[in-house]
Amino acid sequence: MPIQNLEIKSQEDIEYTLMPEDIYVCKIKDLEEIDQKKYNSDETEKAIRVKLIIAEGEYTGSSLIKTVRPIINTGFEGGQASNLYILMRSVLGDNFEHSLDVLNSIIGQQVRAVVKVKKGQKGEYNVVDDFMKVKGEIRTEDIPVIEPVEDKIPF
């Protein structure tokens, strides 16, 4: 049977501001559970989309996104610590309970995001490469939010 009521959309280039590589103080705006394709597989897995808002400097209010797997691995015995563990340790310190309540408690907290510039098929784009603890006083007033055109960055 032919398709009758389907709107076909074209993928358009996404416009966004390319930020220089730097460490930015950010507020964790939201955590979202998503499905993502597993690496080298057609299967999907659950992941966490971390939505950040830059809290200081020239790019205040700009959005960043980092997708992390829901695994807390401290990296002992020569392994690499998981991105989720690094994020939570950067906000909560070294000792925290591994639970959804504790994970959700980081929403609204601040963290430093190490932002890198990567090159893809369609040009350069920003990625959050690492997280670090905030130094000094933490900004408490509301941060004006500049909403991105789209959550996804072209590769």
Side-chain angles (χ1 to χ4, degrees), residues 10-32:
S10 298
Q11 177 68 36
E12 298 178 20
D13 289 336
I14 299 166
E15 293 185 29
Y16 65 98
T17 302
L18 184 68
M19 296 180 288
E21 291 188 349
D22 206 343
I23 299 171
Y24 296 93
V25 175
C26 299
K27 179 178 179 179
I28 300 169
K29 179 182 176 189
D30 200 11
L31 302 173
E32 179 184 357

Side-chain angles (χ1 to χ4, degrees), residues 5 34 40 42 48 71 76 85 88 117-118 128 135 142 154:
N5 295 318
I34 63 168
N40 281 339
D42 290 332
I48 301 166
I71 297 171
F76 290 118
Y85 175 76
M88 292 183 72
V117 175
K118 299 285 183 177
V128 176
K135 290 182 178 179
D142 286 337

Side-chain angles (χ1 to χ4, degrees), residues 111-126:
V111 67
R112 291 188 298 160
V114 178
V115 175
K116 301 283 186 180
V117 175
K118 299 285 183 177
K119 292 183 182 183
Q121 293 176 344
K122 293 187 177 184
E124 295 182 323
Y125 59 95
N126 291 117

